[in-house]
PDB file of all heavy atoms in Angstrom:
ATOM      1  N   TRP Y  33     -15.598  -2.486  16.246  1.00 98.00           N
ATOM      2  CA  TRP Y  33     -15.063  -3.505  17.148  1.00 98.00           C
ATOM      3  C   TRP Y  33     -15.862  -3.489  18.456  1.00 98.00           C
ATOM      4  O   TRP Y  33     -15.986  -2.440  19.089  1.00 98.00           O
ATOM      5  CB  TRP Y  33     -13.591  -3.245  17.428  1.00 98.00           C
ATOM      6  CG  TRP Y  33     -12.927  -4.371  18.158  1.00 98.00           C
ATOM      7  CD1 TRP Y  33     -12.715  -4.468  19.493  1.00 98.00           C
ATOM      8  CD2 TRP Y  33     -12.406  -5.568  17.575  1.00 98.00           C
ATOM      9  NE1 TRP Y  33     -12.085  -5.650  19.791  1.00 98.00           N
ATOM     10  CE2 TRP Y  33     -11.890  -6.346  18.632  1.00 98.00           C
ATOM     11  CE3 TRP Y  33     -12.325  -6.060  16.262  1.00 98.00           C
ATOM     12  CZ2 TRP Y  33     -11.297  -7.591  18.420  1.00 98.00           C
ATOM     13  CZ3 TRP Y  33     -11.731  -7.304  16.047  1.00 98.00           C
ATOM     14  CH2 TRP Y  33     -11.222  -8.056  17.118  1.00 98.00           C
ATOM     15  N   ARG Y  37     -14.167  -6.684  23.728  1.00 97.00           N
ATOM     16  CA  ARG Y  37     -13.678  -7.854  22.999  1.00 97.00           C
ATOM     17  C   ARG Y  37     -12.169  -7.735  22.798  1.00 97.00           C
ATOM     18  O   ARG Y  37     -11.679  -6.743  22.271  1.00 97.00           O
ATOM     19  CB  ARG Y  37     -14.370  -7.976  21.649  1.00 97.00           C
ATOM     20  CG  ARG Y  37     -13.888  -9.160  20.807  1.00 97.00           C
ATOM     21  CD  ARG Y  37     -14.736  -9.312  19.566  1.00 97.00           C
ATOM     22  NE  ARG Y  37     -14.274 -10.389  18.707  1.00 97.00           N
ATOM     23  CZ  ARG Y  37     -14.933 -10.828  17.632  1.00 97.00           C
ATOM     24  NH1 ARG Y  37     -16.087 -10.258  17.292  1.00 97.00           N
ATOM     25  NH2 ARG Y  37     -14.458 -11.822  16.900  1.00 97.00           N
ATOM     26  N   ALA Y  38     -11.444  -8.738  23.229  1.00 97.00           N
ATOM     27  CA  ALA Y  38      -9.992  -8.720  23.097  1.00 97.00           C
ATOM     28  C   ALA Y  38      -9.580  -9.341  21.769  1.00 97.00           C
ATOM     29  O   ALA Y  38     -10.246 -10.260  21.279  1.00 97.00           O
ATOM     30  CB  ALA Y  38      -9.346  -9.487  24.245  1.00 97.00           C
ATOM     31  N   PRO Y  39      -8.496  -8.858  21.163  1.00 97.00           N
ATOM     32  CA  PRO Y  39      -7.989  -9.508  19.951  1.00 97.00           C
ATOM     33  C   PRO Y  39      -7.605 -10.951  20.257  1.00 97.00           C
ATOM     34  O   PRO Y  39      -7.064 -11.249  21.327  1.00 97.00           O
ATOM     35  CB  PRO Y  39      -6.754  -8.680  19.592  1.00 97.00           C
ATOM     36  CG  PRO Y  39      -6.928  -7.386  20.314  1.00 97.00           C
ATOM     37  CD  PRO Y  39      -7.683  -7.702  21.560  1.00 97.00           C
ATOM     38  N   ALA Y  40      -7.887 -11.842  19.331  1.00 97.00           N
ATOM     39  CA  ALA Y  40      -7.559 -13.251  19.531  1.00 97.00           C
ATOM     40  C   ALA Y  40      -6.774 -13.755  18.321  1.00 97.00           C
ATOM     41  O   ALA Y  40      -5.800 -13.141  17.931  1.00 97.00           O
ATOM     42  CB  ALA Y  40      -8.832 -14.064  19.770  1.00 97.00           C
ATOM     43  N   THR Y  41      -7.209 -14.851  17.738  1.00 98.00           N
ATOM     44  CA  THR Y  41      -6.463 -15.421  16.624  1.00 98.00           C
ATOM     45  C   THR Y  41      -6.948 -14.865  15.294  1.00 98.00           C
ATOM     46  O   THR Y  41      -8.094 -14.449  15.149  1.00 98.00           O
ATOM     47  CB  THR Y  41      -6.598 -16.953  16.618  1.00 98.00           C
ATOM     48  OG1 THR Y  41      -7.981 -17.306  16.516  1.00 98.00           O
ATOM     49  CG2 THR Y  41      -5.996 -17.547  17.881  1.00 98.00           C
ATOM     50  N   TYR Y  42      -6.049 -14.870  14.309  1.00 98.00           N
ATOM     51  CA  TYR Y  42      -6.391 -14.362  12.982  1.00 98.00           C
ATOM     52  C   TYR Y  42      -5.819 -15.269  11.908  1.00 98.00           C
ATOM     53  O   TYR Y  42      -4.875 -16.051  12.139  1.00 98.00           O
ATOM     54  CB  TYR Y  42      -5.844 -12.949  12.777  1.00 98.00           C
ATOM     55  CG  TYR Y  42      -4.378 -12.896  12.427  1.00 98.00           C
ATOM     56  CD1 TYR Y  42      -3.943 -12.817  11.101  1.00 98.00           C
ATOM     57  CD2 TYR Y  42      -3.396 -12.951  13.426  1.00 98.00           C
ATOM     58  CE1 TYR Y  42      -2.593 -12.790  10.780  1.00 98.00           C
ATOM     59  CE2 TYR Y  42      -2.043 -12.923  13.110  1.00 98.00           C
ATOM     60  CZ  TYR Y  42      -1.645 -12.837  11.790  1.00 98.00           C
ATOM     61  OH  TYR Y  42      -0.310 -12.818  11.469  1.00 98.00           O
ATOM     62  N   ALA Y  43      -6.394 -15.151  10.731  1.00 98.00           N
ATOM     63  CA  ALA Y  43      -5.843 -15.778   9.531  1.00 98.00           C
ATOM     64  C   ALA Y  43      -6.083 -14.839   8.368  1.00 98.00           C
ATOM     65  O   ALA Y  43      -7.095 -14.133   8.330  1.00 98.00           O
ATOM     66  CB  ALA Y  43      -6.503 -17.134   9.267  1.00 98.00           C
ATOM     67  N   PHE Y  44      -5.147 -14.798   7.438  1.00 97.00           N
ATOM     68  CA  PHE Y  44      -5.334 -13.984   6.242  1.00 97.00           C
ATOM     69  C   PHE Y  44      -6.381 -14.626   5.342  1.00 97.00           C
ATOM     70  O   PHE Y  44      -6.425 -15.857   5.191  1.00 97.00           O
ATOM     71  CB  PHE Y  44      -4.018 -13.847   5.475  1.00 97.00           C
ATOM     72  CG  PHE Y  44      -3.017 -12.948   6.135  1.00 97.00           C
ATOM     73  CD1 PHE Y  44      -1.857 -13.469   6.675  1.00 97.00           C
ATOM     74  CD2 PHE Y  44      -3.242 -11.579   6.207  1.00 97.00           C
ATOM     75  CE1 PHE Y  44      -0.926 -12.638   7.285  1.00 97.00           C
ATOM     76  CE2 PHE Y  44      -2.321 -10.741   6.809  1.00 97.00           C
ATOM     77  CZ  PHE Y  44      -1.162 -11.272   7.350  1.00 97.00           C
ATOM     78  N   ILE Y  68      -0.392  -6.464  12.361  1.00 98.00           N
ATOM     79  CA  ILE Y  68      -1.543  -7.193  12.892  1.00 98.00           C
ATOM     80  C   ILE Y  68      -1.224  -7.779  14.259  1.00 98.00           C
ATOM     81  O   ILE Y  68      -2.030  -7.687  15.191  1.00 98.00           O
ATOM     82  CB  ILE Y  68      -1.956  -8.295  11.895  1.00 98.00           C
ATOM     83  CG1 ILE Y  68      -2.433  -7.647  10.585  1.00 98.00           C
ATOM     84  CG2 ILE Y  68      -3.052  -9.176  12.477  1.00 98.00           C
ATOM     85  CD1 ILE Y  68      -2.538  -8.610   9.445  1.00 98.00           C
ATOM     86  N   GLY Y  72      -2.287  -7.060  18.812  1.00 98.00           N
ATOM     87  CA  GLY Y  72      -2.712  -8.034  19.808  1.00 98.00           C
ATOM     88  C   GLY Y  72      -3.180  -9.359  19.256  1.00 98.00           C
ATOM     89  O   GLY Y  72      -3.499 -10.271  20.027  1.00 98.00           O
ATOM     90  N   PHE Y  73      -3.228  -9.508  17.935  1.00 98.00           N
ATOM     91  CA  PHE Y  73      -3.678 -10.756  17.335  1.00 98.00           C
ATOM     92  C   PHE Y  73      -2.529 -11.757  17.273  1.00 98.00           C
ATOM     93  O   PHE Y  73      -1.354 -11.377  17.204  1.00 98.00           O
ATOM     94  CB  PHE Y  73      -4.216 -10.505  15.926  1.00 98.00           C
ATOM     95  CG  PHE Y  73      -5.474  -9.693  15.891  1.00 98.00           C
ATOM     96  CD1 PHE Y  73      -5.419  -8.332  15.659  1.00 98.00           C
ATOM     97  CD2 PHE Y  73      -6.710 -10.284  16.110  1.00 98.00           C
ATOM     98  CE1 PHE Y  73      -6.571  -7.560  15.625  1.00 98.00           C
ATOM     99  CE2 PHE Y  73      -7.868  -9.531  16.080  1.00 98.00           C
ATOM    100  CZ  PHE Y  73      -7.807  -8.161  15.833  1.00 98.00           C
ATOM    101  N   THR Y  74      -2.877 -13.034  17.283  1.00 98.00           N
ATOM    102  CA  THR Y  74      -1.899 -14.099  17.140  1.00 98.00           C
ATOM    103  C   THR Y  74      -2.320 -15.003  15.983  1.00 98.00           C
ATOM    104  O   THR Y  74      -3.517 -15.193  15.737  1.00 98.00           O
ATOM    105  CB  THR Y  74      -1.784 -14.942  18.424  1.00 98.00           C
ATOM    106  OG1 THR Y  74      -3.082 -15.461  18.765  1.00 98.00           O
ATOM    107  CG2 THR Y  74      -1.264 -14.099  19.577  1.00 98.00           C
ATOM    108  N   PRO Y  75      -1.348 -15.577  15.258  1.00 98.00           N
ATOM    109  CA  PRO Y  75      -1.708 -16.450  14.137  1.00 98.00           C
ATOM    110  C   PRO Y  75      -2.461 -17.675  14.620  1.00 98.00           C
ATOM    111  O   PRO Y  75      -2.149 -18.246  15.670  1.00 98.00           O
ATOM    112  CB  PRO Y  75      -0.345 -16.837  13.545  1.00 98.00           C
ATOM    113  CG  PRO Y  75       0.625 -15.838  14.084  1.00 98.00           C
ATOM    114  CD  PRO Y  75       0.103 -15.412  15.415  1.00 98.00           C
ATOM    115  N   VAL Y  76      -3.459 -18.074  13.870  1.00 98.00           N
ATOM    116  CA  VAL Y  76      -4.236 -19.250  14.249  1.00 98.00           C
ATOM    117  C   VAL Y  76      -3.382 -20.503  14.053  1.00 98.00           C
ATOM    118  O   VAL Y  76      -2.550 -20.566  13.146  1.00 98.00           O
ATOM    119  CB  VAL Y  76      -5.542 -19.337  13.423  1.00 98.00           C
ATOM    120  CG1 VAL Y  76      -5.233 -19.614  11.953  1.00 98.00           C
ATOM    121  CG2 VAL Y  76      -6.483 -20.362  13.994  1.00 98.00           C
ATOM    122  N   VAL Y  77      -3.576 -21.467  14.903  1.00 97.00           N
ATOM    123  CA  VAL Y  77      -2.877 -22.743  14.766  1.00 97.00           C
ATOM    124  C   VAL Y  77      -3.415 -23.462  13.536  1.00 97.00           C
ATOM    125  O   VAL Y  77      -4.621 -23.445  13.258  1.00 97.00           O
ATOM    126  CB  VAL Y  77      -3.085 -23.601  16.029  1.00 97.00           C
ATOM    127  CG1 VAL Y  77      -2.428 -24.969  15.853  1.00 97.00           C
ATOM    128  CG2 VAL Y  77      -2.515 -22.894  17.245  1.00 97.00           C
ATOM    129  N   ALA Y  80      -7.033 -25.067  12.903  1.00 97.00           N
ATOM    130  CA  ALA Y  80      -8.050 -24.491  13.785  1.00 97.00           C
ATOM    131  C   ALA Y  80      -8.757 -23.339  13.077  1.00 97.00           C
ATOM    132  O   ALA Y  80      -8.296 -22.824  12.063  1.00 97.00           O
ATOM    133  CB  ALA Y  80      -7.408 -24.009  15.082  1.00 97.00           C
ATOM    134  N   ALA Y  81      -9.897 -22.921  13.624  1.00 97.00           N
ATOM    135  CA  ALA Y  81     -10.658 -21.809  13.062  1.00 97.00           C
ATOM    136  C   ALA Y  81     -10.233 -20.510  13.737  1.00 97.00           C
ATOM    137  O   ALA Y  81     -10.189 -20.431  14.971  1.00 97.00           O
ATOM    138  CB  ALA Y  81     -12.155 -22.030  13.267  1.00 97.00           C
ATOM    139  N   PRO Y  82      -9.923 -19.462  12.970  1.00 98.00           N
ATOM    140  CA  PRO Y  82      -9.502 -18.190  13.575  1.00 98.00           C
ATOM    141  C   PRO Y  82     -10.690 -17.415  14.132  1.00 98.00           C
ATOM    142  O   PRO Y  82     -11.835 -17.630  13.737  1.00 98.00           O
ATOM    143  CB  PRO Y  82      -8.871 -17.452  12.399  1.00 98.00           C
ATOM    144  CG  PRO Y  82      -9.634 -17.945  11.211  1.00 98.00           C
ATOM    145  CD  PRO Y  82      -9.921 -19.393  11.494  1.00 98.00           C
ATOM    146  N   ASP Y  83     -10.398 -16.502  15.033  1.00 98.00           N
ATOM    147  CA  ASP Y  83     -11.430 -15.613  15.568  1.00 98.00           C
ATOM    148  C   ASP Y  83     -11.838 -14.583  14.526  1.00 98.00           C
ATOM    149  O   ASP Y  83     -13.022 -14.264  14.387  1.00 98.00           O
ATOM    150  CB  ASP Y  83     -10.892 -14.920  16.822  1.00 98.00           C
ATOM    151  CG  ASP Y  83     -11.930 -14.036  17.485  1.00 98.00           C
ATOM    152  OD1 ASP Y  83     -13.031 -14.530  17.793  1.00 98.00           O
ATOM    153  OD2 ASP Y  83     -11.650 -12.836  17.675  1.00 98.00           O
ATOM    154  N   VAL Y  84     -10.862 -14.057  13.777  1.00 98.00           N
ATOM    155  CA  VAL Y  84     -11.136 -13.080  12.727  1.00 98.00           C
ATOM    156  C   VAL Y  84     -10.348 -13.450  11.476  1.00 98.00           C
ATOM    157  O   VAL Y  84      -9.349 -14.167  11.538  1.00 98.00           O
ATOM    158  CB  VAL Y  84     -10.760 -11.638  13.150  1.00 98.00           C
ATOM    159  CG1 VAL Y  84     -11.549 -11.203  14.383  1.00 98.00           C
ATOM    160  CG2 VAL Y  84      -9.257 -11.497  13.375  1.00 98.00           C
ATOM    161  N   THR Y  85     -10.813 -12.932  10.339  1.00 98.00           N
ATOM    162  CA  THR Y  85     -10.049 -13.027   9.100  1.00 98.00           C
ATOM    163  C   THR Y  85      -9.606 -11.624   8.711  1.00 98.00           C
ATOM    164  O   THR Y  85     -10.280 -10.639   9.014  1.00 98.00           O
ATOM    165  CB  THR Y  85     -10.864 -13.646   7.965  1.00 98.00           C
ATOM    166  OG1 THR Y  85     -12.029 -12.845   7.715  1.00 98.00           O
ATOM    167  CG2 THR Y  85     -11.280 -15.068   8.320  1.00 98.00           C
ATOM    168  N   VAL Y  86      -8.473 -11.540   8.027  1.00 98.00           N
ATOM    169  CA  VAL Y  86      -7.893 -10.255   7.660  1.00 98.00           C
ATOM    170  C   VAL Y  86      -7.667 -10.222   6.150  1.00 98.00           C
ATOM    171  O   VAL Y  86      -6.976 -11.088   5.604  1.00 98.00           O
ATOM    172  CB  VAL Y  86      -6.556 -10.012   8.392  1.00 98.00           C
ATOM    173  CG1 VAL Y  86      -5.982  -8.652   8.002  1.00 98.00           C
ATOM    174  CG2 VAL Y  86      -6.745 -10.111   9.901  1.00 98.00           C
ATOM    175  N   ILE Y 153     -10.711  -6.197   8.724  1.00 98.00           N
ATOM    176  CA  ILE Y 153     -10.796  -7.288   9.694  1.00 98.00           C
ATOM    177  C   ILE Y 153     -12.265  -7.680   9.858  1.00 98.00           C
ATOM    178  O   ILE Y 153     -13.111  -6.823  10.141  1.00 98.00           O
ATOM    179  CB  ILE Y 153     -10.202  -6.879  11.054  1.00 98.00           C
ATOM    180  CG1 ILE Y 153      -8.728  -6.486  10.890  1.00 98.00           C
ATOM    181  CG2 ILE Y 153     -10.341  -8.010  12.069  1.00 98.00           C
ATOM    182  CD1 ILE Y 153      -8.086  -5.967  12.166  1.00 98.00           C
ATOM    183  N   ARG Y 154     -12.554  -8.967   9.673  1.00 97.00           N
ATOM    184  CA  ARG Y 154     -13.923  -9.470   9.768  1.00 97.00           C
ATOM    185  C   ARG Y 154     -14.046 -10.511  10.879  1.00 97.00           C
ATOM    186  O   ARG Y 154     -13.110 -11.293  11.121  1.00 97.00           O
ATOM    187  CB  ARG Y 154     -14.360 -10.142   8.461  1.00 97.00           C
ATOM    188  CG  ARG Y 154     -14.508  -9.225   7.272  1.00 97.00           C
ATOM    189  CD  ARG Y 154     -15.033 -10.020   6.082  1.00 97.00           C
ATOM    190  NE  ARG Y 154     -15.144  -9.207   4.889  1.00 97.00           N
ATOM    191  CZ  ARG Y 154     -16.220  -8.491   4.576  1.00 97.00           C
ATOM    192  NH1 ARG Y 154     -17.278  -8.508   5.386  1.00 97.00           N
ATOM    193  NH2 ARG Y 154     -16.255  -7.781   3.462  1.00 97.00           N
ATOM    194  N   ASP Y 155     -15.191 -10.528  11.513  1.00 98.00           N
ATOM    195  CA  ASP Y 155     -15.522 -11.626  12.416  1.00 98.00           C
ATOM    196  C   ASP Y 155     -15.721 -12.881  11.570  1.00 98.00           C
ATOM    197  O   ASP Y 155     -16.479 -12.875  10.598  1.00 98.00           O
ATOM    198  CB  ASP Y 155     -16.798 -11.304  13.184  1.00 98.00           C
ATOM    199  CG  ASP Y 155     -17.191 -12.432  14.121  1.00 98.00           C
ATOM    200  OD1 ASP Y 155     -16.593 -12.542  15.200  1.00 98.00           O
ATOM    201  OD2 ASP Y 155     -18.118 -13.208  13.755  1.00 98.00           O
ATOM    202  N   ARG Y 156     -15.038 -13.955  11.929  1.00 97.00           N
ATOM    203  CA  ARG Y 156     -15.102 -15.142  11.081  1.00 97.00           C
ATOM    204  C   ARG Y 156     -16.486 -15.774  11.069  1.00 97.00           C
ATOM    205  O   ARG Y 156     -16.981 -16.216  10.026  1.00 97.00           O
ATOM    206  CB  ARG Y 156     -14.074 -16.186  11.535  1.00 97.00           C
ATOM    207  CG  ARG Y 156     -14.004 -17.412  10.608  1.00 97.00           C
ATOM    208  CD  ARG Y 156     -13.253 -18.549  11.254  1.00 97.00           C
ATOM    209  NE  ARG Y 156     -13.903 -19.031  12.455  1.00 97.00           N
ATOM    210  CZ  ARG Y 156     -14.916 -19.903  12.471  1.00 97.00           C
ATOM    211  NH1 ARG Y 156     -15.400 -20.372  11.335  1.00 97.00           N
ATOM    212  NH2 ARG Y 156     -15.441 -20.300  13.616  1.00 97.00           N
TER     213      ARG Y 156
END
Side-chain angles (χ1 to χ4, degrees):
W33 190 263
R37 179 173 177 172
T41 59
Y42 80 96
F44 287 111
I68 296 166
F73 293 97
T74 56
V76 67
V77 176
D83 183 54
V84 300
T85 60
V86 181
I153 301 176
R154 293 184 182 272
D155 179 79
R156 185 194 63 83

